[in-house]
Amino acid sequence: MNALPLIDLKDASSFPSRRVEAWKYSDLRRHLREAPAPSPSATVPLVGGGPFEALGGEAMVFVNGRAVGETQMMVSGDKTVRLRLISRAQGTGHALTARISVRAGAKLLLLETHEGEGSAWVAHNRLELDVARGAEVTRLVLTDEPADAISITQAMVKVEAGGIYRQTILTTGAKLQRQETQLTHRAQGADVRLDGVYVLSGERQADLTTVVDHVAANGLTSQLTKGVVRDTARGVFQGKIVVERGADGTDARMGHHALILGERAEVDAKPELEIYADDVQCAHGNTVGNLDESALFYMQQRGLPADEARALLTQAFLIEVVDRIEPEGAREVVREWLTARL
């Protein structure tokens, strides 16, 4: 499988344009023609420890691309880690690489937040995450950044035989924002779930792109992404599942569903399956539409104002993804975070 292109903020020639198939909906070069000036150093905000602070755990913090502590971690036993990626800049750019390896049989709850202050900055985040045999990882991502920011996150995930990996990304978008996951699925009983939610308004754009490569037999992948776009916002979903030769017995299913709540809003969806093995169960589904007018009318007839009825229907549409999050405390934090942004 060909990897998606990597980006170097110091080299403008590495910025992909719409001519690169995987970036045709998110033309980085159109928004960023020159390498940005480096962001200055900054301190961690004095107030608060991020949306997941109440859940405790060990903190792994980056501010403007610079680590406050360690840049890599080896996980044993049962651990909670709050990975905070903080941007505090004006018109500059910064990049970081974080590496987390989860040992065989270990269990990690990775609570990742993208927290933005300032304006018009560019961030490129790279996460390398290795899930060893029999390990279990839950990665929850909350992304809340300024409307004029450019933010690219590329996660490279490897899941070994018997490993369990759960991922849920929620985002409100930015000027150009991309959450990309490239996952190598070693199968042989490995179980992967990749979910996402985007809630976009104004002129914001969010791109959720995933590539899952099944390279061995008897692996499971489940994927559910839902989005809501308003005003002139743009949502992008690209999901690709590749089943290599010899990966017999693969069970891979992908679904993307979106609501368009504005005449000028846009959703671009591209689900793909590439299958080179026999005896597999693979499927994908994609729907884009409006709120159910009959349900909206029903709720208004019973006294609910139109705006409140729309908000309740929108929440009911999206909450299915949140309900798939298994750790209860983290699920409630995510639910509150999402509700506040509806």
Side-chain angles (χ1 to χ4, degrees):
M1 178 187 71
N2 294 326
L4 299 177
L6 295 177
I7 297 166
D8 181 356
L9 284 189
K10 299 177 182 178
D11 179 9
S13 67
S14 72
F15 302 163
S17 70
R18 64 190 308 272
R19 294 181 179 180
V20 178
E21 179 65 22
W23 287 79
K24 72 176 185 177
Y25 301 120
S26 300
D27 190 341
L28 180 59
R29 190 168 297 179
R30 181 172 70 87
H31 293 284
L32 193 63
R33 297 187 179 277
E34 298 180 354
S39 295
S41 60
T43 57
V44 180
L46 295 177
V47 179
F52 290 112
E53 180 181 19
L55 299 181
E58 188 172 337
M60 190 176 186
V61 183
F62 294 79
V63 184
N64 287 0
R66 295 167 176 83
V68 183
E70 299 297 323
T71 63
Q72 52 189 347
M73 182 180 293
M74 186 73 71
V75 175
S76 301
D78 191 339
K79 183 175 287 189
T80 296
V81 174
R82 289 181 290 116
L83 175 58
R84 300 181 65 198
L85 310 181
I86 302 171
S87 296
R88 308 183 77 187
Q90 301 279 348
T92 55
H94 44 274
L96 65 88
T97 299
R99 298 181 175 89
I100 300 177
S101 297
V102 184
R103 296 181 185 273
K107 185 175 182 179
L108 170 66
L109 175 58
L110 180 61
L111 304 173
E112 179 180 328
T113 54
H114 298 243
E115 306 167 41
E117 299 179 5
S119 65
W121 43 258
V122 182
H124 177 225
N125 310 305
R126 179 182 169 93
L127 172 64
E128 299 175 4
L129 181 56
D130 294 334
V131 183
R133 283 179 171 267
E136 181 177 344
V137 174
T138 298
R139 178 190 179 216
L140 305 180
V141 183
L142 301 181
T143 306
D144 204 355
E145 297 173 322
D148 58 359
I150 295 175
S151 174
I152 308 297
T153 299
Q154 295 176 299
M156 286 68 179
V157 183
K158 296 179 181 178
V159 183
E160 299 297 333
I164 296 175
Y165 182 71
R166 303 282 185 259
Q167 173 177 293
T168 306
I169 296 174
L170 293 92
T171 182
T172 56
K175 181 178 181 179
L176 176 63
Q177 184 188 86
R178 181 173 170 113
Q179 283 280 351
E180 176 184 304
T181 304
Q182 300 183 45
L183 188 143
T184 303
H185 197 309
R186 303 289 185 186
Q188 299 175 15
D191 185 346
V192 169
R193 186 167 71 216
L194 302 177
D195 291 348
V197 169
Y198 55 90
V199 180
L200 310 176
S201 60
E203 298 179 352
R204 290 174 178 260
Q205 176 170 334
D207 178 339
L208 298 183
T209 290
T210 60
V211 179
V212 179
D213 192 17
H214 282 259
V215 299
N218 301 318
L220 175 65
T221 294
S222 173
Q223 189 167 0
L224 177 62
T225 301
K226 289 193 169 188
V228 175
V229 293
R230 301 181 175 89
D231 306 319
T232 59
R234 185 182 192 188
V236 177
F237 169 77
Q238 297 185 111
K240 186 175 185 178
I241 296 175
V242 182
V243 183
E244 305 284 3
R245 290 179 177 84
D248 298 343
T250 292
D251 187 339
R253 302 176 190 278
M254 177 199 313
H256 168 258
H257 310 286
L259 295 177
I260 296 181
L261 304 184
E263 293 183 359
R264 298 173 61 195
E266 180 178 343
V267 171
D268 298 294
K270 187 182 178 186
E272 295 181 273
L273 296 173
E274 289 187 11
I275 302 172
Y276 303 101
D278 299 322
D279 189 26
V280 300
Q281 298 183 61
C282 297
H284 63 70
N286 176 60
T287 60
V288 179
N290 299 310
L291 284 175
D292 186 335
E293 290 297 330
S294 60
L296 187 60
F297 177 77
Y298 177 87
M299 295 171 75
Q300 289 180 269
Q301 288 295 101
R302 275 146 187 79
L304 278 179
D307 288 346
E308 185 176 346
R310 289 190 184 93
L312 288 173
L313 288 173
T314 301
Q315 183 179 23
F317 172 74
L318 296 173
I319 212 68
E320 179 185 1
V321 177
V322 176
D323 285 343
R324 286 157 63 99
I325 297 172
E326 291 164 1
E328 183 178 358
R331 183 174 65 245
E332 291 310 308
V333 172
V334 171
R335 183 190 296 270
E336 291 177 8
W337 186 93
L338 177 60
T339 300
R341 283 151 184 82
L342 292 176

